[in-house]
Amino acid sequence: MTPFELTEWPCPASGGGTRDELALTFDRRRDRRLVVLPAWFDEANKLRRQTVEVMRQLDGSGIDSVLPDFPGTNESRAKLEDQTLDGWRAAAAAAAGHFRATHVLTIRAGSLLAPQGLPGWRYAPIGGRQVMRAMLRARTIAAKEAGAAERTEDLQAAARREGIDLAGWRLGAEMFAALESAEPDTALSEIEQASLGGPGLWLRAEPGDDAAQAGALAAAVAGGIGAA
Amino acid sequence: MTDGHKLAPSRGAIDAKLRAILSDVLGLDADRVADFDSETGLFGHLPELDSMAVAGLLTEMEDRLDIVIDDDDVDGEMLETYGGLLAFAEGKAASA
């Protein structure tokens, strides 16, 4: 079993130039190379182990894969608050180019960043509005629990002006507003959760993993790349 | 009487769907969730059910039960026990 490696890659910086970010890679310089655009925020934590397991199984099928950190996420030292949807899209395209990806696999909201023209798959995609809805709801529930009622509409209006703290993630105003209307990429082939033989792990209250589901997802990708 | 009103989903069907959702959210097998009764404690009793998990639970209920849950619907009583959550879901489905 090939261990994964952590590699730095030059990510476009908002003020011009680049800034190094990390990527988790299974890279043996093979011809078939997949860039993986992970789930976001709370779902990123719940799905990271599962995402790496899918990559490990793809490695066993002869496919290289790379999971880049985006600015403000995971090990990045950039502030999440400063990031924008367009900035993350540029980062996804740059990562695909730097690692010479031949295909892309997006997971959940990762589909919002799919680079144009790169073939591949979108696993259980969701739009920006759905991402925000769950996080806004978590915030209103926590506020109510603490005895301070907050209304979703008020939070949305304030977030469009000055950004917002949602479940521990500080989003800038530009990112929040862009996500309210961002829709998943439709050019990619969809892999539905129902086809993997179990419930989505993002639903779980605690992070988990499921080898059978990871195998089914890896098989769908490997079969598709083989046929492509 | 065929006056065009659709029948509300049966209580048993909502109960089964709600247990399936809780099984997915809590990562419990169906047998454990089948043992939940109306007094089984949820939010505030299960440490893994924090506000983010409850938000996911409510969003999944909206999708699978075809209901809309407003800010004002969410209170401690509906979330505290399985019986409270089921009564809420049944009420929403009947008025949907």
Side-chain angles (χ1 to χ4, degrees):
Chain A
M1 191 159 63
T2 323
F4 61 73
E5 290 177 4
L6 294 172
T7 313
E8 289 192 328
W9 65 282
C11 179
S14 53
T18 63
R19 168 173 190 155
D20 282 349
E21 297 291 353
L22 278 182
L24 187 156
T25 64
F26 288 87
D27 189 352
R28 289 198 269 165
R29 312 285 186 275
R30 290 170 288 197
D31 294 338
R32 298 182 295 174
R33 303 171 63 78
L34 186 76
V35 63
V36 181
L37 307 181
W40 292 11
F41 308 132
D42 185 60
E43 291 192 351
N45 295 340
K46 290 179 180 172
L47 291 174
R48 185 155 178 101
R49 184 182 169 86
Q50 183 76 353
T51 300
V52 175
E53 180 58 26
V54 171
M55 294 168 69
R56 194 185 301 284
Q57 299 214 19
L58 286 167
D59 177 57
S61 301
I63 296 163
D64 281 348
S65 61
V66 51
L67 176 65
D69 281 356
F70 291 116
T73 71
N74 209 40
E75 300 293 334
S76 173
R77 287 189 296 271
K79 281 170 72 176
L80 175 60
E81 185 179 5
D82 297 338
Q83 308 311 316
T84 63
L85 185 60
D86 284 342
W88 276 1
R89 284 179 169 150
H98 177 77
F99 291 103
R100 304 186 317 281
T102 57
H103 295 78
V104 59
L105 168 65
T106 72
I107 298 176
R108 302 288 285 163
S111 66
L112 299 175
L113 307 181
Q116 293 289 313
L118 199 59
W121 298 265
R122 50 186 199 143
Y123 165 45
I126 53 169
R129 198 178 50 80
Q130 290 163 279
V131 176
M132 291 298 100
R133 179 148 146 263
M135 291 174 74
L136 283 162
R137 178 169 266 163
R139 170 149 168 173
T140 59
I141 291 169
K144 193 168 274 187
E145 193 69 3
E150 292 182 320
R151 299 209 55 86
T152 303
E153 305 86 80
D154 299 340
L155 291 175
Q156 287 169 317
R160 286 175 208 130
R161 288 193 311 271
E162 59 212 34
I164 190 169
D165 223 318
L166 289 176
W169 281 274
R170 176 78 205 169
L171 302 182
E174 192 178 338
M175 176 70 98
F176 183 89
L179 287 180
E180 287 190 293
S181 60
E183 293 293 332
D185 179 277
T186 52
L188 302 173
S189 307
E190 185 157 338
I191 299 174
E192 294 179 12
Q193 179 58 37
S195 69
L196 302 187
L201 294 178
W202 62 85
L203 290 174
R204 291 262 185 98
E206 298 287 342
D209 55 87
D210 184 321
Q213 279 193 38
L217 183 51
V221 171
I225 288 185
Chain B
M1 212 167 62
T2 55
D3 58 359
H5 287 294
K6 70 174 183 191
L7 284 172
S10 78
R11 296 188 60 180
I14 293 170
D15 184 30
K17 282 186 185 174
L18 191 56
R19 286 179 198 270
I21 294 167
L22 281 166
S23 165
D24 293 350
V25 170
L26 297 171
L28 296 174
D29 57 38
D31 290 347
R32 279 283 307 280
V33 177
D35 288 341
F36 282 12
D37 61 27
S38 61
E39 300 300 315
T40 300
L42 299 177
F43 192 45
H45 301 265
L46 300 169
E48 62 269 49
L49 212 50
D50 59 12
S51 58
M52 194 72 226
V54 168
L57 169 69
L58 298 180
T59 305
E60 198 65 13
M61 284 173 64
E62 290 184 319
D63 290 348
R64 291 204 224 171
L65 300 173
D66 201 18
I67 58 177
V68 175
I69 301 173
D70 301 318
D71 285 356
D72 294 337
D73 293 332
V74 183
D75 61 34
E77 200 182 344
M78 81 173 266
L79 290 169
E80 193 183 349
T81 62
Y82 181 71
L85 193 61
L86 178 59
F88 168 78
E90 287 171 347
K92 272 285 168 186
S95 63

